[in-house]
Amino acid sequence: MDIVHERAAGIDISKRDAKVAVRKPGQRRGTYRTEVKTFGATTAQIRQLISYLKAENVSVIVMEATSDYWKPFYFLMEEEQLPVILVNAKRARNIPGRKTDVNDATWLAELAAHNLLAASFIPPEPIRHLRDLTRARSALVHDRTKVYQRLEKFLESSGIKLSSVASNLTGVSSRHMLDALVAGERDPHILADLSIRSMRRKIPELVEALEGRFTEHHASMVKLHLRHIDMLDEQFNTLNEQISEAMVAFDQACQALRTIPGIGEQSAQVIIAEIGVDMTVFADAAHLASWAGVCPGQNESAGRQRSSHTRGGNVYLRAALGTAALAAIKHKESFLAARYRRLYLRRGGSRALVATQHTIIVAIWHMLADGEVFKELGPNYYDEHNKDRAKNRAVKELERLGFEVRLDSAA
């Protein structure tokens, strides 16, 4: 194989240290030797590593994406403008049974010398800061959901069946009743009367649900859960404010994405935080869809194409696209809803939903890459595009229902 980089470095990173292999020309022409050294993972020792790599005059540095341990190495080298790339560990696997840290570093240097590894996508610093905020907000939402689940289970032990009548415990009416229970109120009629708006239609059911064995112990535990929820809500609001400030620089892109049916403000923020606004890092829309994990993998053997699941992608981006797709298919007068219904009949709900996510991410790539405006094709796009197929489908459906169909041309 052709040697692209005469001097290449491979770094195998762990929590405490890093094995650094530098592949460079040997004493005889056409030969190469690899020198392996160990450096610590503290900032001072990483700076020593940077000085060593500069002295070796390497033209490419490759490191594996190992947990979060790669970040201090990568960011410091990025500041020093070293030619560093991060690669997926799955693409750099060595021969099984011969795995050591030294062998891994040496193998990375060998692959780097022949330019056989593709760099992972690392967004610029403003996008990374926005990503930290949106991912922290996502974690808070999950934590708050878990606290509500624990609260619901604990209420069951006291005989309070509030969650059986109210759709969830996050509503205003539910919070008023829980606060009253903590304050010492036990009369189910008084508690049920605290409900507001549509919940007041359920007062008889609430009276039965709020009669239980609620003691002071239960009150103290519920109070702890409610305080935890309030703290998470406060942190959630703080993160929302910080995200809004960070999104000022990307407001135009955010507003453009929100023109796509199903994409709201939070979904647009997550999408921009995960893929950025510079689409030159993705060769085309298909590469972005593959990176996001919303297209089927390839599984061909002996000339036969086998069914294949979607590949693993960015979980935060997939969650945002899934939320957007679920919202989009409820817009009955949109092309996305029509596409979902069309695929649902043949491929089922799960595949139809993934296809809808794929359509959304392709539209996003074209909007950010080419500056295009989202064009709504309308719910009748497929019928107008192929009128004969729509006609035959309608005739078959009527015949299935027992009607005899005769078609006359329009005057």
Side-chain angles (χ1 to χ4, degrees):
M1 291 181 291
D2 294 334
I3 296 176
V4 180
H5 300 282
E6 289 286 335
R7 291 176 170 268
I11 307 178
D12 185 76
I13 301 172
S14 64
K15 183 175 183 178
R16 296 182 180 275
D17 57 28
K19 306 296 182 184
V20 182
V22 175
R23 185 181 185 275
K24 50 190 175 182
Q27 294 180 351
R28 296 176 57 187
R29 185 176 182 182
T31 63
Y32 293 87
R33 63 187 179 90
T34 302
E35 183 181 67
V36 181
K37 291 187 176 183
T38 301
F39 291 85
T42 62
T43 300
Q45 291 170 319
I46 295 174
R47 294 193 185 280
Q48 293 178 10
L49 166 59
I50 292 174
S51 299
Y52 167 70
L53 293 174
K54 286 182 177 180
E56 291 292 341
N57 197 27
V58 294
S59 58
V60 64
I61 305 166
V62 173
M63 62 179 68
E64 287 183 348
T66 306
S67 184
D68 288 329
Y69 305 144
W70 60 271
K71 291 183 177 180
F73 289 84
Y74 184 91
F75 295 150
L76 283 173
M77 291 181 185
E78 183 185 46
E79 289 180 1
E80 296 292 332
Q81 298 182 347
L82 290 178
V84 58
I85 63 173
L86 183 74
V87 299
N88 192 325
K90 289 183 178 180
R91 298 185 179 182
R93 285 179 176 172
N94 203 345
I95 300 174
R98 300 182 182 178
K99 187 182 186 311
T100 65
D101 293 342
V102 172
N103 284 348
D104 285 348
T106 303
W107 180 243
L108 286 173
E110 182 75 20
L111 295 176
H114 299 289
N115 198 30
L116 294 177
L117 295 173
S120 298
F121 168 55
I122 307 295
E125 191 171 19
I127 296 294
R128 293 202 297 262
H129 292 171
L130 178 61
R131 177 184 285 187
D132 290 338
L133 294 172
T134 55
R135 290 185 177 183
R137 181 176 63 184
S138 177
L140 276 182
V141 172
H142 288 295
D143 291 343
R144 187 173 59 178
T145 302
K146 290 181 180 179
V147 177
Y148 271 114
Q149 290 172 345
R150 290 197 293 268
L151 174 60
E152 181 180 4
K153 289 182 178 180
F154 188 77
L155 288 174
E156 292 288 336
S157 68
S158 67
I160 301 296
K161 311 287 287 186
L162 179 59
S163 60
S164 299
V165 180
S167 58
N168 53 64
L169 298 178
T170 63
V172 177
S173 297
S174 298
R175 183 57 188 263
H176 288 169
M177 298 174 201
L178 292 174
D179 287 339
L181 280 169
V182 170
E185 183 59 60
R186 300 291 183 268
D187 190 336
H189 293 86
I190 296 176
L191 293 171
D193 194 53
L194 295 174
S195 59
I196 61 175
R197 299 187 184 93
S198 60
M199 279 290 289
R200 297 196 64 81
R201 296 196 298 266
K202 300 180 181 180
I203 284 182
E205 293 89 344
L206 286 171
V207 171
E208 294 184 5
L210 291 169
E211 184 176 355
R213 187 183 57 85
F214 197 87
T215 64
E216 289 302 318
H217 168 69
H218 295 101
S220 64
M221 291 298 296
V222 170
K223 185 177 181 179
L224 286 176
H225 286 310
L226 293 178
R227 282 183 177 177
H228 192 183
I229 291 170
D230 291 339
M231 180 192 69
L232 293 175
D233 285 338
E234 183 179 353
Q235 293 178 353
F236 182 83
N237 294 332
T238 301
L239 278 175
N240 270 338
E241 293 176 0
Q242 294 179 359
I243 291 172
S244 297
E245 294 176 2
M247 283 296 300
V248 171
F250 313 107
D251 183 67
Q252 186 175 357
C254 182
Q255 296 302 324
L257 295 188
R258 293 184 64 182
T259 60
I260 301 176
I263 295 186
E265 182 179 8
Q266 288 193 9
S267 295
Q269 291 171 349
V270 172
I271 291 170
I272 291 175
E274 297 302 327
I275 67 174
V277 294
D278 180 14
M279 293 296 101
T280 58
V281 296
F282 302 102
D284 52 31
H287 282 78
L288 175 57
S290 177
W291 183 82
V294 290
C295 65
Q298 293 178 336
N299 187 2
E300 181 182 354
S301 180
R304 295 176 58 188
Q305 290 284 352
R306 301 178 181 179
S307 178
S308 180
H309 298 288
T310 56
R311 300 170 59 189
N314 185 303
V315 293
Y316 297 95
L317 178 58
R318 289 189 64 170
L321 292 174
T323 301
L326 288 172
I329 63 179
K330 296 178 181 179
H331 291 261
K332 302 300 182 183
E333 298 301 319
S334 71
F335 165 77
L336 294 175
R339 175 168 173 76
Y340 174 82
R341 292 192 297 267
R342 182 171 181 265
L343 293 174
Y344 179 87
L345 298 175
R346 296 186 292 109
R347 305 294 290 171
S350 297
R351 286 186 173 91
L353 193 64
V354 172
T356 306
Q357 296 177 44
H358 182 274
T359 304
I360 292 174
I361 197 66
V362 168
I364 290 173
W365 186 90
H366 284 287
M367 294 174 70
L368 296 179
D370 306 328
E372 297 180 7
V373 178
F374 180 76
K375 181 180 179 181
E376 176 58 66
L377 300 177
N380 299 323
Y381 171 79
Y382 290 110
D383 292 342
E384 294 174 357
H385 188 68
N386 196 328
K387 294 183 179 180
D388 289 337
R389 181 181 293 178
K391 177 191 68 177
N392 294 335
R393 185 170 62 249
V395 169
K396 288 180 180 180
E397 182 65 18
L398 288 172
E399 290 176 345
R400 188 183 67 81
L401 294 174
F403 292 95
E404 183 179 347
V405 181
R406 185 184 68 183
L407 299 178
D408 295 327
S409 59

